[in-house]
């Protein structure tokens, strides 16, 4: 009985930033659970490669190229994915970028890029998806990918823009959850710690950074994308039917002290 709660048969899901890393594993997890899947990314080459990789695992996914920094682009993506899938029950907002730099000399254009991609783009996708779910009157589940950087200020790297964007993701999650709970739409988030992805590879290859990151993680290792995808599957499924507005931290214990 309980295993069935994690099944997503008959449901349709879109994963933004789904061409690699956490996003790709989320698409795989949702597809394996029975959902029809679409992914989006900026790179057509990476997106098509991801679709081919999923197909090799028996998951039929559709790729949509999208830059989600504007409301119009987000609305276009959500509507296109829903049209292709027949409906949209699940949205996983994973698209994001990280930029490091000293705060006093931080480039305003880079600040806007980070906020537009990580926070504003996520909100525009939520806005469009929720509008569609309400119009179809079938409820839905949204899972946003936040970060431990929404709770703490990372060291030794300086990343004020990224931290601010992820703190915003957490509050957008809580705000939307409260606004639409009575309409059958659940909105939750995961807050990963340091995960083995292309985004973190540069930091892990830096001996100074890696020493601090692993030294401050009680489990003494970085996480795997699949460990985040499993939590996203849980939040998207009926196994989490009484959860909304939650930020699920998955960080090997990094934030426990």
């Amino acid at each position: 009985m309980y295993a069935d709660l994690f099944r997503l048969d008959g449901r349709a899901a879109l994963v933004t930033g789904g061409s690699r890393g956490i996003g790709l594993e989320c698409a795989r997890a949702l597809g394996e659970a029975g959902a029809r899947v679409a992914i989006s990314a900026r790179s057509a080459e990476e997106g098509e490669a991801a679709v081919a990789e999923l197909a090799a695992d028996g998951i039929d996914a559709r790729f949509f190229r999208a830059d989600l920094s504007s409301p119009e682009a987000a609305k276009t993506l959500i509507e296109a994915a829903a049209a292709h899938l027949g409906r949209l029950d699940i949205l996983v907002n994973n698209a994001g970028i990280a930029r490091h730099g000293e705060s006093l000399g931080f480039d305003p254009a880079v600040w806007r890029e980070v906020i537009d991609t990580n926070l504003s783009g996520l909100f525009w996708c939520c806005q469009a998806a929720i509008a569609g779910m309400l119009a179809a009157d079938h409820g839905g589940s949204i899972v946003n990918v936040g970060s431990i950087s929404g709770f703490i200020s990372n060291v030794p790297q300086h990343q004020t823009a990224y931290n601010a964007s992820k703190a915003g993701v957490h509050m957008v999650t809580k705000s939307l959850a409260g606004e639409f709970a009575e309409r059958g739409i659940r909105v939750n988030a995961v807050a990963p710690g340091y995960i083995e992805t292309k985004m973190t590879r540069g930091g892990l290859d830096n001996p100074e950074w890696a020493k601090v990151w692993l030294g401050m993680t009680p489990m003494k290792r970085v996480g795997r994308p699949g460990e985040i995808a499993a939590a996203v599957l849980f939040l998207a499924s009926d196994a989490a039917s009484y959860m909304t507005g939650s930020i699920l931290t998955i960080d090997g214990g990094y934030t426990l002290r």
Side-chain angles (χ1 to χ4, degrees), residues 97-107 110-112 114-115 118-119 149-168:
I97 59 174
R99 300 288 186 265
H100 306 122
E102 300 289 339
S103 295
L104 293 185
F106 206 76
D107 186 335
V110 178
W111 173 275
R112 288 191 296 270
V114 173
I115 299 299
N118 295 3
L119 179 56
S149 302
F151 298 125
I152 53 93
S153 178
N154 305 68
V155 291
Q157 74 275 24
H158 302 294
Q159 52 181 53
T160 300
Y162 183 81
N163 295 353
S165 73
K166 291 302 185 178

Side-chain angles (χ1 to χ4, degrees), residues 47-201:
E48 296 298 347
V51 165
E53 184 175 332
L54 291 170
D57 292 334
I59 298 168
D60 181 17
R62 169 73 180 270
F63 168 67
F64 293 90
R65 186 175 183 276
D67 179 341
L68 302 174
S69 56
S70 74
E72 295 78 16
K75 187 172 185 289
T76 297
L77 170 64
I78 296 298
E79 291 179 349
H84 171 74
L85 297 169
R87 57 188 286 158
L88 186 63
D89 303 283
I90 298 164
L91 170 64
V92 179
N93 280 307
N94 174 69
I97 59 174
R99 300 288 186 265
H100 306 122
E102 300 289 339
S103 295
L104 293 185
F106 206 76
D107 186 335
V110 178
W111 173 275
R112 288 191 296 270
E113 180 188 21
V114 173
I115 299 299
D116 285 349
T117 302
N118 295 3
L119 179 56
S120 299
L122 176 143
F123 174 72
W124 302 133
C125 284
C126 286
Q127 184 186 68
I130 290 171
M133 292 171 181
L134 292 176
D137 196 27
H138 57 53
S141 177
I142 295 176
V143 185
N144 296 322
V145 177
S147 172
I148 58 169
S149 302
F151 298 125
I152 53 93
S153 178
N154 305 68
V155 291
Q157 74 275 24
H158 302 294
Q159 52 181 53
T160 300
Y162 183 81
N163 295 353
S165 73
K166 291 302 185 178
V169 167
H170 295 174
M171 189 49 67
V172 164
T173 299
K174 289 178 176 291
S175 299
L176 294 176
E179 190 171 352
F180 296 103
E182 291 186 6
R183 302 294 300 275
I185 297 172
R186 297 186 299 107
V187 188
N188 294 288
V190 292
Y194 291 106
I195 308 300
E196 178 67 69
T197 65
K198 185 176 180 180
M199 181 181 288
T200 59
R201 189 67 261 166

